[in-house]
């Protein structure tokens, strides 16, 4: 009986211990369940975020926004999702909505990296929109300014993050200095934020790590297709077999057997890793397997097609197109059409891209389709504008911009419009030039000072009226009787003739060369004259016209120009004995200049001229010359180019009129001349400077006929003979080696003010000219571009 009483007590004690153990274990169990729930929640958030980025990169901003909205339902203060919602609104062109998301971010989280990224992207799309557009335009130009990286760094008050970093560092990649800086910055970002795959792919694009085929996020305010879209991460999606599959909802529990779609997602993720490591062939194989498992799913196809398209060769691009065409043959749903249209747009098959999405009823269009249509239309419109710009049709360009106000706020259009307005700015160019050619004092020597002055007055966006008012002081010096030879070098008789007035021995003249003209990028028309105390004043002018011929360009000119080389040929001279004037030679003829670039490193220039040379009291003379120049770039990097060349020059005149007696022309005029010259040229630009240095060596052969010293006046010839002076100058062969050096430098002092100068010397047998010019160029607007190579102010006497 006692035993019977003991057993219930033991059972009661055991029950009490069990109940107590349950109470002790309950908090632990609840905590464990809560921890599991948190893990599941974070897994769902990560999967939703991956899905949102996936659709964002495919311009499905509606689906991307849905994913990030779901994150915010789970976790209303999720900083990354708030940031992405703002970026989506910027991609849609709604900066005001993006600012609301930024306000929420800053209110809850303060100035985190997500807030900074969104703030910077908003700044590039609003306050710095125009400035950023200008830099993008310059980055796409043929001559990228060397200070582009510095100007990009100055856009934002602190180093860029996220989308801003992608946009800015991509542009920095256009210069060697910028590429190196961008690599360092992006490598640090990738190290600091390893979960943000944008930095890894951007680093690969910059060549900083393995791989060079990368993702490109949509540019702010535009819808540009990505080069290599990222794939959706996660393996817990349900199978998709429908005609228009969509990314399924993530489930908390993984299914033990993966569907074809889930396997495809895994393969796509693996492919992305292979791309990041530079293994593009392996990536293509993995994506092809994903397509084989899901032949009707458009986005695996698009990933594979994009990878192939990025290779750049014709075969790969055709293969990319074939992959999407095969998908359309299997499935003509909305998503397949959109994916195929994205590929068509990135391959510049714009009409085909629009046709693909137009097959979808407009009421079913997604925001991505609308954005694609807008991008294609804008791209076609922009291509038309740039074609007008290339062809010099600036009035038509202005009309086209004004006729489409809906595009006027776009950065590229604003940049073009700003360039147009700069064509309406009044500009002033002036210089001082000194030229010296050795020779006999008062006869063949020349020491001239010129002050060219040109005022450009735009008439519209294409035509510019230019006014020329050049000062020209042509000095030969004073004929020295003590060094005169036994026949008259200048004029009609010996300088020791007692009938010569003393002041007539000076051959120095001052005056101006004035003119006006109208020019466009296609033609130039001008007319002018010499005025002042020149012995011979006469008119000059010409018509010049340029056009494209096949792969090259041709410039034709019909003109009357001054003949430089001596005071006699340029301004005329006065006979010391009689006071009669002669000289002032003018070339009247036609010229053609043909240019063709065979590739980026090899080009050719061909020149042909035919002239009739006339002047006062000198015989008419005919002149012909041909020249061929080949240039080969042997070294090139941003801001520097070294070119070697070869120039063959053939020249012929009917008469030899290079002497200075009365009736001679005073200009070199061989009956046969040939030279071969080899120049080496270094052209560069850096930090607001541009320069060019050229050294050249050559060799020439020539022949001159005998020439009468008084070709138009037999009486003078008879008088000279009576005094025992020669009346004939004997010709003969000539030639030899030649060398030359030219140094030019230009500096952008202000945005609208440029200064520069050059020095040039030639050394050959009997011809040793030196020339020095200092110049300034000023715009009465906001801009005067730096010339590369430096470009001085050509005197009107040498037009």
């Amino acid at each position: 009986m006692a035993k019977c009483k003991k057993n219930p007590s033991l059972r009661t004690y055991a029950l009490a211990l069990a109940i107590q153990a349950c109470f002790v274990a309950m908090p632990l169990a609840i905590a464990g369940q809560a921890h599991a729930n948190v893990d599941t929640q974070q897994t769902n958030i990560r999967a939703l975020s991956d899905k949102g980025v996936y659709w964002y990169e495919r311009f499905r901003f509606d689906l991307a926004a849905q994913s990030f909205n779901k994150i915010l339902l789970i976790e209303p203060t999720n900083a990354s999702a708030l940031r992405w919602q703002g970026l989506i609104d910027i991609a849609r062109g709604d900066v005001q909505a993006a600012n609301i998301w930024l306000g929420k971010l800053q209110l809850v989280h303060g100035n985190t990296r997500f807030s900074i990224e969104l703030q910077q992207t908003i700044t590039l799309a609003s306050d710095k929109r125009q400035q950023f557009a200008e830099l993008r335009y310059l980055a796409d130009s043929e001559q990228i300014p060397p200070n582009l990286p510095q100007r990009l760094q100055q856009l934002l008050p602190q180093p860029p993050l996220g989308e801003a970093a992608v946009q800015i560092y991509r542009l920095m990649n256009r210069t060697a200095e910028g590429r190196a800086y961008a690599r360092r910055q992006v490598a640090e970002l990738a190290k600091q934020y390893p979960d943000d795959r944008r930095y890894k792919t951007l680093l690969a694009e910059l060549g900083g790590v393995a791989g060079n085929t990368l993702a490109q996020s949509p540019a702010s305010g535009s819808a540009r297709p990505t080069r290599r879209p990222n794939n959706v991460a996660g393996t817990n999606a349900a199978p998709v077999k429908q005609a228009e599959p969509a990314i399924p909802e993530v489930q908390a529990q993984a299914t033990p057997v993966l569907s074809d779609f889930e396997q495809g997602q895994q393969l796509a993720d693996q492919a992305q890793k292979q791309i990041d490591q530079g293994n593009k062939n392996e990536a293509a194989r993995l994506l092809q397997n994903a397509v084989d498992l899901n032949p009707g799913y458009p986005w695996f196809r698009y990933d594979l097609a994009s990878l192939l398209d990025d290779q750049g060769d014709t075969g790969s691009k055709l293969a990319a197109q074939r992959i999407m065409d095969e998908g359309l043959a299997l499935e003509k749903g909305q998503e397949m059409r959109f994916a195929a249209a994205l590929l068509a747009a990135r391959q510049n098959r714009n009409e085909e891209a629009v046709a693909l999405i137009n097959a979808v009823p407009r009421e079913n269009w997604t925001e991505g389709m609308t954005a694609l249509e807008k991008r294609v239309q804008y791209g076609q419109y922009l291509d038309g504008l740039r074609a007008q710009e290339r062809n010099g049709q600036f009035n038509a360009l202005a009309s086209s911009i004004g006729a489409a106000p809906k595009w006027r706020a776009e950065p590229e259009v604003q940049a073009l419009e700003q360039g147009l307005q700069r064509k309406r700015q009044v500009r002033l160019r002036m210089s001082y030039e000194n030229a010296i050619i050795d020779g006999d004092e008062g006869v063949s020597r020349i020491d001239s000072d010129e002050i060219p002055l040109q005022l450009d007055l735009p008439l519209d966006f294409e035509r510019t009226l230019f006014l020329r008012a050049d000062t020209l002081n042509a000095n030969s010096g004073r004929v020295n009787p003590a060094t005169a030879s036994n026949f008259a070098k200048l004029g009609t008789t010996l300088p020791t003739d007692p009938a010569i007035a003393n002041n007539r021995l000076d051959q120095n003249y001052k005056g101006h060369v004035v003119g006006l003209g109208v020019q466009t990028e296609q033609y130039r028309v001008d007319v002018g004259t010499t005025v002042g105390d020149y012995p011979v004043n006469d008119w000059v002018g010409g018509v010049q016209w340029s056009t494209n011929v096949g792969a090259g360009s041709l410039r034709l000119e019909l003109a009357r120009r001054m003949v430089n080389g001596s005071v006699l040929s340029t301004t005329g001279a006065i006979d010391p004995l009689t006071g009669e004037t002669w000289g002032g030679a003018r070339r009247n003829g036609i010229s053609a200049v043909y240019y063709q670039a065979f590739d980026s490193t090899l080009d050719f220039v061909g020149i042909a001229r035919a002239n009739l040379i006339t002047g006062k009291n000198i015989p008419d003379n005919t002149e012909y010359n041909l020249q061929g120049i080949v240039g080969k770039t042997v070294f090139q990097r941003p801001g520097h180019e070294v070119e070697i060349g070869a120039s063959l020059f053939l020249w012929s005149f009917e008469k030899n009129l290079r002497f200075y007696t009365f009736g001679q022309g005073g200009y070199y005029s061989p009956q046969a001349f040939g030279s071969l010259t080899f120049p080496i040229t270094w052209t560069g630009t850096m930090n607001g400077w541009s320069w060019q240095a050229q050294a050249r060596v050559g060799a020439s052969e020539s022949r001159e006929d005998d020439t009468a010293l008084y070709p138009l006046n037999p009486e003078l010839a008879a008088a000279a003979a009576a005094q025992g002076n020669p009346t004939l100058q004997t010709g003969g062969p000539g030639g030899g080696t030649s060398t030359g050096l030219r140094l030019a430098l230009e500096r952008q002092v202000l945005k609208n003010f440029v200064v520069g100068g050059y020095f040039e010397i030639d050394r050959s047998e009997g011809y040793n000219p030196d020339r020095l010019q200092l110049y300034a160029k000023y715009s009465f607007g906001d801009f005067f571009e730096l010339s590369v190579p430096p470009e001085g102010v050509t005197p009107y006497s040498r037009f």
Side-chain angles (χ1 to χ4, degrees):
M1 193 68 177
K3 185 177 180 180
C4 290
K5 288 181 180 179
K6 183 178 181 182
N7 288 338
S9 299
L10 289 173
R11 287 196 299 271
T12 302
Y13 180 70
L15 180 60
L17 286 176
I19 293 172
Q20 185 177 5
C22 288
F23 278 106
V24 171
M26 187 177 297
L28 297 176
I30 293 174
Q33 181 62 39
H35 183 72
N37 290 339
V38 169
D39 286 345
T40 300
Q41 176 177 301
Q42 292 304 311
T43 299
N44 291 344
I45 288 175
R46 282 195 299 271
L48 287 168
S49 180
D50 287 341
K51 184 173 21 169
V53 173
Y54 179 91
W55 288 123
Y56 174 84
E57 292 178 337
R58 286 156 179 78
F59 306 102
R60 288 301 306 269
F61 304 130
D62 52 342
L63 296 178
Q66 287 178 19
S67 294
F68 294 117
N69 277 333
K70 290 175 182 177
I71 292 176
L72 294 174
L73 289 174
I74 299 171
E75 187 179 298
T77 61
N78 186 282
S80 178
L82 291 170
R83 174 269 316 264
W84 276 111
Q85 292 288 41
L87 294 176
I88 289 170
D89 282 328
I90 292 174
R92 288 168 164 169
D94 193 344
V95 176
Q96 185 176 358
N99 271 303
I100 295 175
W101 291 109
L102 177 62
K104 293 179 181 179
L105 249 177
Q106 293 175 331
L107 181 65
V108 177
H109 298 282
N111 201 32
T112 66
R113 67 181 175 102
F114 299 120
S115 304
I116 294 172
E117 175 185 351
L118 184 53
Q119 174 70 73
Q120 290 177 339
T121 310
I122 290 172
T123 298
L124 295 181
S126 55
D127 297 344
K128 296 296 180 71
R129 178 186 178 98
Q130 180 61 36
Q131 189 175 347
F132 191 39
E134 289 180 18
L135 295 177
R136 290 208 308 270
Y137 183 77
L138 290 172
D140 290 331
S141 64
E142 292 184 3
Q143 294 184 342
I144 300 173
N147 64 344
L148 178 67
Q150 291 78 17
R151 294 170 68 176
L152 286 166
Q153 290 179 50
Q154 294 166 4
L155 279 173
L156 300 171
Q158 58 194 120
L161 293 173
E163 288 297 294
V166 170
Q167 295 179 49
I168 288 175
Y169 291 138
R170 259 201 198 109
L171 293 184
M172 280 194 190
N173 191 38
R174 306 297 174 84
T175 71
E177 178 186 355
R179 185 179 304 112
Y181 176 82
R183 284 175 183 169
R184 293 194 300 270
Q185 297 299 108
V186 177
E188 184 60 33
L189 289 171
K191 181 180 179 181
Q192 190 174 357
Y193 307 113
D195 293 335
D196 195 330
R197 195 162 62 186
R198 290 175 298 177
Y199 298 132
K200 295 178 182 178
T201 54
L202 178 58
L203 187 60
E205 182 176 342
L206 300 175
V209 294
N212 56 12
T213 306
L214 301 153
Q216 288 187 358
S217 301
S220 173
S222 66
R224 189 164 38 190
T226 60
R227 288 171 54 92
R228 175 65 182 92
N230 292 333
N231 297 292
V232 174
T235 60
N236 295 325
V240 178
K241 297 295 185 181
Q242 58 211 30
E244 291 185 38
I247 300 296
E249 295 300 321
V250 177
Q251 300 176 4
Q253 300 296 324
T255 55
V257 179
L258 295 179
S259 67
D260 289 346
F261 181 72
E262 290 171 313
Q263 293 179 58
Q265 284 185 307
Q266 284 190 339
L267 289 167
D269 285 340
Q270 294 169 19
Q272 179 60 53
K273 293 177 181 177
Q274 293 299 319
I275 289 172
D276 292 343
Q277 296 171 12
N279 303 324
K280 288 178 282 188
N281 290 337
E282 177 62 15
R285 186 189 68 79
L286 292 167
L287 286 171
Q288 184 63 63
N289 290 342
V291 171
D292 292 341
L293 287 169
N294 302 270
Y297 183 62
W299 299 112
F300 294 154
R301 285 187 176 276
Y302 179 76
D303 288 344
L304 177 57
S306 299
L307 177 61
L308 293 174
D309 186 65
D310 282 339
Q311 307 314 308
D313 61 280
T314 302
S316 296
K317 287 182 174 294
L318 290 174
Q321 182 178 351
R322 185 168 59 251
I323 287 169
M324 296 313 301
D325 289 344
E326 290 171 353
L328 286 169
L330 292 172
E331 167 57 58
K332 291 184 172 59
Q334 175 173 323
E335 292 296 313
M336 187 68 79
R337 288 186 179 277
F338 181 43
L342 284 175
L343 180 71
R346 69 182 290 163
Q347 293 185 336
N348 294 320
R349 295 181 285 116
N350 293 319
E351 293 183 3
E352 186 176 342
V354 172
L356 282 164
I357 58 175
N358 277 339
V360 178
R362 177 78 57 164
E363 61 270 17
N364 294 337
W365 276 28
T366 63
E367 288 185 57
M369 291 179 176
T370 303
L372 177 61
E373 180 191 49
K374 178 181 177 182
R375 185 184 68 79
V376 169
Q377 291 175 346
Y378 175 61
Q380 292 173 329
Y381 170 71
L382 192 60
D383 287 344
L385 297 185
R386 286 174 172 164
Q388 290 174 331
E389 181 189 36
R390 285 193 304 272
N391 296 330
Q393 299 170 321
F394 299 112
N395 289 331
L397 176 62
S399 298
S400 298
I401 291 176
K406 67 176 181 176
W407 303 119
R408 205 155 188 169
E410 293 296 330
E412 294 84 358
V413 177
Q414 289 184 346
L416 286 171
E417 191 167 18
Q418 184 180 53
L420 278 176
Q421 295 306 321
R422 286 172 174 168
K423 292 185 176 297
R424 301 295 299 269
Q425 296 174 359
V426 176
R427 294 184 167 195
L428 177 68
R429 310 162 200 256
M430 66 180 300
S431 71
Y432 167 78
E433 179 174 299
N434 177 255
I436 299 175
I437 300 177
D438 289 338
D440 290 335
E441 191 80 13
V443 182
S444 58
R445 172 180 167 79
I446 183 170
D447 183 351
S448 66
D449 296 315
E450 291 189 72
I451 304 177
L453 178 66
Q454 177 169 326
L455 184 65
D456 295 329
L457 302 171
L459 302 175
D460 52 30
F461 294 109
E462 292 181 10
R463 299 176 301 157
T464 298
L465 173 69
F466 63 90
L467 306 177
R468 294 299 301 242
D470 294 13
T471 298
L472 171 58
N473 300 327
N475 304 311
S476 181
R478 182 179 177 85
V479 179
N480 187 352
T483 60
S485 62
N486 64 342
F487 68 93
K489 285 191 174 182
L490 180 80
T492 60
T493 187
L494 290 172
T496 55
D497 193 311
I500 292 177
N502 187 59
N503 61 346
R504 289 180 181 167
L505 294 175
D506 291 318
Q507 298 293 322
N508 305 313
Y509 306 106
K510 297 181 180 180
H512 304 278
V513 187
V514 298
L516 59 85
V518 175
Q519 65 181 7
T520 69
E521 292 204 349
Q522 186 177 27
Y523 68 84
R524 183 185 73 189
V525 180
D526 72 280
V527 63
T529 187
T530 56
V531 294
D533 68 353
Y534 303 139
V536 178
N537 284 306
D538 206 348
W539 72 277
V540 293
V543 177
Q544 187 181 98
W545 180 70
S546 302
T547 186
N548 292 327
V549 178
S553 62
L554 177 66
R555 187 182 74 212
L556 299 175
E557 183 172 20
L558 184 65
R560 174 180 171 85
R561 301 296 179 195
M562 301 173 73
V563 179
N564 303 110
S566 70
V567 171
L568 173 62
S569 68
T570 304
T571 66
I574 299 176
D575 178 32
L577 178 62
T578 66
E580 194 169 358
T581 60
W582 84 105
R586 300 289 184 264
R587 278 189 172 93
N588 308 271
I590 187 171
S591 66
V593 179
Y594 176 77
Y595 172 80
Q596 181 174 347
F598 298 106
D599 55 40
S600 61
T601 64
L602 182 66
D603 58 19
F604 168 78
V605 179
I607 305 171
R609 295 186 178 95
N611 294 295
L612 173 66
I613 300 179
T614 62
K616 186 175 183 179
N617 292 325
I618 61 175
D620 293 349
N621 202 0
T622 55
E623 173 193 21
Y624 304 96
N625 68 57
L626 292 172
Q627 187 173 13
I629 307 168
V630 177
K632 173 66 176 179
T633 300
V634 295
F635 175 79
Q636 192 171 31
R637 71 177 188 186
H640 299 270
E641 180 179 279
V642 177
E643 182 184 73
I644 59 174
S647 172
L648 176 65
F649 182 58
L650 304 176
W651 202 14
S652 175
F653 289 81
E654 178 189 2
K655 301 180 181 75
N656 180 10
L657 297 174
R658 76 175 176 93
F659 299 100
Y660 299 85
T661 51
F662 194 85
Q664 283 281 324
Y667 58 90
Y668 182 54
S669 45
Q671 280 54 71
F673 179 91
S675 69
L676 184 61
T677 306
F678 300 95
I680 179 169
T681 308
W682 173 34
T683 304
T685 177
M686 182 180 295
N687 299 328
W689 292 89
S690 73
W691 64 87
Q692 186 175 73
Q694 183 184 83
R696 52 190 179 271
V697 296
S700 65
E701 293 287 339
S702 66
R703 177 183 58 80
E704 292 180 296
D705 288 348
D706 298 346
T707 180
L709 291 175
Y710 302 99
L712 296 178
N713 199 319
E715 291 80 7
L716 283 177
Q723 297 179 31
N725 295 328
T727 60
L728 186 73
Q729 178 67 40
T730 304
T737 60
S738 64
T739 57
L741 178 67
R742 188 177 192 275
L743 302 174
L745 187 66
E746 189 167 297
R747 170 66 171 167
Q748 185 127 32
V749 180
L750 300 173
K751 196 173 182 182
N752 62 337
F753 183 48
V754 174
V755 298
Y758 67 82
F759 175 66
E760 185 173 25
I761 60 175
D762 274 298
R763 294 291 179 266
S764 59
E765 186 177 354
Y767 184 65
N768 302 291
D770 298 335
R771 179 174 286 120
L772 169 70
Q773 183 181 105
L774 302 174
Y775 61 86
K777 298 184 283 189
Y778 179 77
S779 170
F780 291 91
D782 67 347
F783 186 70
F784 204 120
E785 67 277 5
L786 185 72
S787 299
V788 183
E791 182 180 340
V793 185
T794 303
Y796 198 28
S797 66
R798 294 208 309 274
F799 253 42

